[in-house]
Amino acid sequence: MTDLTADEARRIILRAQGLLGGADARRGGVHGMLRRLGAIQLDTISVLARSHELVAYARLGAVGRPKVERAYWHNPALSFEYWCHAACILPIEHWPLYAFRRRAYRDRRYRWHEVPDHVDKLRDQVRDSGPLTTSDVGGAKNGGPWWDWSDSKIGLEWLLDIGEIVCSRRVGWRRVYDLSERVVPAELLAEDLSDEECIVRLAAIAGASLGVATRGDLIDFLRLKGRFAAILDEALLSGATGLVPVHVTGWPSTRGQTNAWADPAGLESAPRGRHRTTLVSPFDSLIWHRGRTERVFGFNYQLELYVPKHKRVHGYFTMPVLAGGRLIGRVDPARDGTTLVARQLSLEPGLTGAKWADALRDALWSAADWVGCDAVRVERADPALIAHLEAPA
């Protein structure tokens, strides 16, 4: 068993996430980044940009947003959408690895809604007229709340869940559905993996993406429970995943026992390279597990967009600021024409503007430039921090 300090683990994690280093971290562009991360979460909210665009920006810098979209949704398909940590963009070569989940959904025949009787007719319509969106089959909603889906939307999503249709691109943020046999390469469709094989291979992917991870981190990445979580446990203990046991000082553990698992490639050399300075999406895999975020960075983070406005502490869509390999502060961003607005900006307790103002300024102005803004305005921050931000760089 390898012993790691908390600082060593953090640096391994940053390198695995493509947030430490130079050319190697940018190799392969957006699609190379997707393959290294294994999964990129999707979300409907767009403040500066949508989350899948922010994830690419955080690692690759000011890559053009149309280029990001083409790298994710291309023809032929380089990726597809499916359920991993949440609704995620996944490399197309990972299609066979989610067979365990497709089988589980088929066995249940229910997720959030009852599956309508006419689902076979929907499949035929996709075959005859696809690719198509929900607009082509009568719309996505019945007119009630957001979860009040139309039968056509429920049916299409069910067919996607069980793998008979696939979403490999979007138009106007609407999923475009097509038959899997027309999108997924034949050799991938033909690969028939057992549940155990799926989970073993996915655990290795999650471990490589996270760098160093507890059992709970891996469970959270893949959203495993019940029998599938038991398969993961057995695979970790047997070594089938290829991940190696480590003990990270300061992480919860029984004395002297394994408390995490590491990608062996991440242990081969000491992480070196320049740390990224950037805003981080709330849905970035670096921080999507809030307990892990506190364990790795000492950063207590809550996304407050569902918190009533009068109860928010940091803001609607607070984005952590990464600099020097640490999460140094947080900003609640918005746009006002061509001005990037920091509605609220703060440093973490114990950090000073004298040391970190330059990093905050760099993060704000770099993001502004990327989204086409030519000015930055800070509306609310500690006066001493504002003074440092306004001082000549």
Side-chain angles (χ1 to χ4, degrees):
M1 183 174 63
T2 300
D3 290 319
L4 297 173
T5 66
D7 184 64
E8 288 170 336
R10 178 180 54 82
R11 289 176 63 83
I12 291 170
I13 288 165
L14 288 166
R15 181 173 64 182
Q17 283 277 303
L19 293 162
L20 174 65
D24 285 348
R26 297 190 297 272
R27 188 176 64 255
V30 178
H31 192 66
M33 175 205 67
L34 169 60
R35 294 187 67 191
R36 286 190 290 275
L37 294 182
I40 294 176
Q41 185 174 343
L42 291 160
D43 195 81
T44 59
I45 297 169
S46 180
V47 176
L48 296 181
R50 294 199 188 274
S51 184
H52 63 283
E53 298 171 311
L54 292 167
V55 168
Y57 164 73
R59 288 154 179 82
L60 304 176
V63 59
R65 293 170 67 183
K67 187 176 181 179
V68 173
E69 295 297 308
R70 287 193 300 270
Y72 288 141
W73 294 299
H74 198 269
N75 189 18
L78 299 177
S79 59
F80 71 106
E81 290 187 30
Y82 201 63
W83 304 101
C84 181
H85 172 82
C88 289
I89 305 173
L90 306 165
I92 194 69
E93 58 266 31
H94 292 183
W95 172 268
L97 308 184
Y98 289 87
F100 82 100
R101 185 154 284 153
R102 293 192 289 267
R103 286 190 289 263
Y105 285 146
R106 186 183 291 273
D107 289 344
R108 284 187 63 188
R109 198 172 171 81
Y110 177 88
R111 287 191 57 234
W112 296 303
H113 308 83
E114 294 286 349
V115 178
D117 294 333
H118 71 291
V119 69
D120 291 340
K121 293 181 180 179
L122 277 171
R123 183 193 304 107
D124 293 341
Q125 189 170 352
V126 175
R127 175 178 292 108
D128 296 339
S129 306
L132 49 77
T133 70
T134 51
S135 296
D136 300 314
V137 291
K141 295 184 179 181
N142 285 327
W146 67 267
W147 62 84
D148 186 22
W149 286 359
S150 68
D151 280 354
S152 294
K153 171 68 171 176
I154 295 169
L156 288 172
E157 289 296 309
W158 164 250
L159 292 170
L160 184 144
D161 287 346
I162 65 174
E164 295 195 15
I165 65 175
V166 66
C167 173
S168 64
R169 63 188 176 94
R170 287 184 177 235
V171 174
W173 198 241
R174 295 191 306 275
R175 280 177 169 163
V176 178
Y177 304 91
D178 203 355
L179 291 182
S180 299
E181 63 200 57
R182 289 201 290 242
V183 176
V184 181
E187 65 273 16
L188 297 177
L189 280 175
E191 195 170 351
D192 185 20
L193 302 179
S194 68
D195 291 352
E196 289 76 12
E197 289 171 318
C198 290
I199 290 168
V200 164
R201 288 170 59 176
L202 283 171
I205 290 166
S209 172
L210 297 175
V212 182
T214 65
R215 181 253 189 196
D217 296 339
L218 296 170
I219 290 284
D220 180 77
F221 189 106
L222 299 171
R223 289 288 201 256
L224 301 177
K225 58 183 179 180
R227 184 172 68 86
F228 299 137
I231 292 172
L232 173 67
D233 290 337
E234 183 177 342
L236 287 171
L237 291 174
S238 71
T241 64
L243 303 177
V244 297
V246 297
H247 181 271
V248 182
T249 304
W251 288 19
S253 69
T254 301
R255 189 169 201 168
Q257 298 295 310
T258 295
N259 63 355
W261 305 86
D263 174 27
L267 300 177
E268 290 177 355
S269 61
R272 291 185 174 86
R274 184 175 181 180
H275 288 286
R276 290 281 298 155
T277 297
T278 185
L279 304 184
V280 180
S281 164
F283 307 107
D284 194 301
S285 55
L286 180 71
I287 61 168
W288 65 21
H289 185 320
R290 306 312 190 206
R292 174 178 167 88
T293 302
E294 186 161 12
R295 185 187 338 121
V296 174
F297 295 102
F299 190 87
N300 189 323
Y301 180 55
Q302 178 187 8
L303 183 59
E304 297 179 327
L305 58 91
Y306 299 116
V307 174
K309 186 174 182 179
H310 68 281
K311 293 184 178 181
R312 291 175 190 155
V313 176
H314 297 288
Y316 171 77
F317 193 76
T318 307
M319 299 179 68
V321 182
L322 179 70
R326 304 174 62 177
L327 296 177
I328 65 166
R330 46 195 104 197
V331 58
D332 182 27
R335 293 184 64 173
D336 181 9
T338 60
T339 297
L340 187 151
V341 180
R343 292 186 290 197
Q344 186 165 327
L345 179 67
S346 62
L347 281 169
E348 286 299 281
L351 303 186
T352 65
K355 181 173 181 179
W356 293 104
D358 286 349
L360 288 178
R361 188 187 299 111
D362 182 35
L364 292 172
W365 277 98
S366 296
D369 183 64
W370 177 58
V371 297
C373 290
D374 55 18
V376 171
R377 184 174 77 244
V378 178
E379 291 188 342
R380 183 180 176 190
D382 183 91
L385 176 57
I386 291 177
H388 284 293
L389 288 170
E390 293 176 345

